[in-house]
Amino acid sequence: MGRLAPPWDRLLLDARLATLRDDLGAYGAIEDGALAWKDGLIAFAGPARELPGEPAALAARVESAGHRWITPGLVDCHTHLVFGGDRAQEFERRLQGASYEQIAREGGGILSSVRATRAADEQALLAASLPRARALLADGVTTLEIKSGYGLDFETERRMLRVARRVGETLGITVRTTCLAAHALPPEFAGRPDDYIAATIEWLPRLQQEGLVDAVDAFCEGIGFTPAQTRRLFEAATALGLPVKLHADQLSDLGGAALVAGFSGLSADHIEWTGEDAVRAMAAAGTVAVLLPGAFHVLRETKLPPIDALRANAVPMAVATDLNPGTAPLQSLRLAMSLACTHFRLTPEEALRGATHHGALALGLHDRGRLVPGQRADFVQWRIGHPAELAYWLGGELVHAVHVAGRRVQ
């Protein structure tokens, strides 16, 4: 991408840039850097000595970054942020020995959140969801995916997706919406999963026409939906031109990762039980592996995702919070990065790439995630001495400023 010609809107000097460019070594780091933007896009990101003139003549406003590290804005590519109620009591039960599957089969789990979400109107859902989104923004997130899936009927799914759109509008960040109606079987369809899949397929064109859905997801699992049912849904989504992604191989290997790769899916998420053949299929299809260490941590799982196979096959690895009321009540993408390092043995640099560039790819977004001219000017200034600290610190307020398309939002 070429530089945007000056005059620029703004220029930051005395910056330390983690550009995540592949040709600049670790983190794509530039120690004595400058960052400029124009019309919401990065105009310059490089060594200050390469500026094409005197700073004062290049931009309407020139400032010092105070030698702070600047990274691309974080991208949380897998959340269930809009929901009613909470499931703190289920957390207690799991600590006492009950399994996730046992709780689900007893009518808890996802269906517990369905009951609470159906009972909440749009304004109540927005009021409950905004603090969670603000927590992510305060932690550096500038792009966010939000799934439906706690309605399991047309009106509530639609309400969730409308709230997701309103979250983005209210906070001035990008929100990508994913229809996850195939999350669980609602009580009114008990014993009729094929009929429910048929119903969700009927909802998709209506939701698409209202501009409420950017992608389609499903929970392909023994306590969710079969590969055959998932395939039917994906065929319908593809016919509408909607990209697909999948909760795949979290609790068992039903071939979910290979299935979504067969549809050139954006991502296969969780993938603890995914085999090497499926990893190769993901590599061939360009399907991103979304790692969700928060759920792994909360559920005290022991089966690790196939990290070595993903590396060997150059499959991009994204990292996301999976923020949800049951298995990942996690409101910090930085903490998810740290958990990915601790549990999955990612390097801090892999975790940062996973929460920026690779997270963007998992949403089908190619205009953000690196500090490169022509990309969106989504970036974060941090109070850190080295980029590894973003995965090192467990909590704390490290953000100095968050910019979205060049506009400060935090």
Side-chain angles (χ1 to χ4, degrees):
M1 299 179 184
R3 295 173 183 166
L4 302 182
W8 301 324
D9 296 333
R10 195 166 168 191
L11 171 63
L12 288 179
L13 302 174
D14 308 315
R16 304 165 81 185
L17 306 179
T19 68
L20 303 186
R21 282 172 47 181
D22 294 327
D23 59 333
L24 292 178
Y27 296 97
I30 299 172
E31 287 281 350
D32 184 15
L35 180 71
W37 59 95
K38 178 180 180 179
D39 297 332
L41 301 178
I42 295 173
F44 181 93
R49 66 178 180 275
E50 294 181 7
L51 285 167
E54 288 299 316
L58 294 173
R61 185 174 173 185
V62 180
E63 296 181 357
S64 171
H67 303 287
R68 296 183 189 89
W69 277 100
I70 301 177
T71 72
L74 303 189
V75 178
D76 197 348
C77 66
H78 182 130
T79 85
H80 306 251
L81 184 145
V82 174
F83 57 85
D86 65 65
R87 281 154 48 195
Q89 290 180 328
E90 291 181 14
F91 174 65
E92 285 190 310
R93 284 200 61 201
R94 284 197 305 273
L95 293 175
Q96 294 163 0
S99 71
Y100 175 54
E101 185 169 353
Q102 177 187 348
I103 291 170
R105 293 195 183 281
E106 292 172 357
I110 294 168
L111 292 181
S112 174
S113 292
V114 169
R115 290 189 291 273
T117 304
R118 286 181 174 182
D121 64 20
E122 186 167 325
Q123 198 57 36
L125 279 179
L126 180 64
S129 301
L130 278 173
R132 296 188 279 264
R134 286 194 174 103
L136 293 175
L137 171 58
D139 212 37
V141 171
T142 56
T143 298
L144 176 64
E145 187 250 21
I146 300 177
K147 304 178 190 293
S148 66
Y150 293 127
L152 310 187
D153 61 36
F154 177 75
E155 287 302 332
T156 315
E157 291 288 300
R158 183 189 190 198
R159 185 159 67 247
M160 290 184 69
L161 293 168
R162 279 204 304 260
V163 169
R165 289 283 193 232
R166 290 181 65 186
V167 166
E169 293 163 1
T170 302
L171 299 184
I173 62 176
T174 299
V175 169
R176 301 291 282 183
T177 54
T178 298
C179 180
L180 180 58
H183 197 193
L185 191 64
E188 56 268 30
F189 281 86
R192 298 186 294 127
D194 287 331
D195 290 343
Y196 180 64
I197 290 295
T200 65
I201 289 172
E202 290 179 1
W203 302 342
L204 285 180
R206 299 163 66 186
L207 296 171
Q208 184 185 36
Q209 287 165 9
E210 295 185 23
L212 293 176
V213 56
D214 297 316
V216 173
D217 195 352
F219 185 31
C220 184
E221 193 55 75
I223 58 173
F225 296 93
T226 67
Q229 290 159 350
T230 302
R231 179 178 295 277
R232 284 177 55 206
L233 176 64
F234 281 4
E235 288 171 348
T238 302
L240 293 171
L242 291 169
V244 298
K245 49 179 51 196
L246 187 63
H247 284 64
D249 310 334
Q250 178 185 10
L251 306 174
S252 61
D253 187 0
L254 295 185
L259 172 61
V260 72
F263 284 85
S264 299
L266 292 174
S267 67
D269 302 32
H270 287 289
I271 65 167
E272 281 91 334
W273 290 85
T274 296
E276 289 199 29
D277 287 346
V279 170
R280 286 190 285 271
M282 291 170 63
T287 298
V288 177
V290 177
L291 305 178
L292 302 171
F296 183 93
H297 176 80
V298 170
L299 294 175
R300 296 185 293 174
E301 295 288 354
T302 57
K303 178 69 172 175
L304 295 170
I307 301 297
D308 289 342
L310 294 169
R311 287 176 177 143
N313 288 275
V315 175
M317 293 183 289
V319 176
T321 61
D322 192 18
L323 170 54
N324 74 72
T327 61
L330 176 56
Q331 300 183 68
S332 167
L333 185 50
R334 280 201 306 108
L335 182 52
M337 292 163 58
S338 181
L339 293 174
C341 294
T342 300
H343 288 307
F344 299 159
R345 301 297 190 267
L346 264 61
T347 67
E349 182 176 358
E350 285 177 323
L352 179 57
R353 289 180 183 273
T356 51
H357 180 46
H358 295 164
L361 295 180
L363 297 178
L365 298 173
H366 298 267
D367 64 345
R368 67 200 69 191
R370 293 177 297 160
L371 300 181
V372 177
Q375 294 252 299
R376 275 174 55 102
D378 291 1
F379 62 90
V380 184
Q381 296 183 60
W382 301 95
R383 301 186 189 100
I384 56 175
H386 190 277
E389 292 184 41
L390 297 178
Y392 164 72
W393 290 108
L394 300 176
E397 297 180 1
L398 303 187
V399 167
H400 172 74
V402 179
H403 284 75
V404 174
R407 181 175 60 88
R408 184 167 180 174
V409 296
Q410 180 73 23

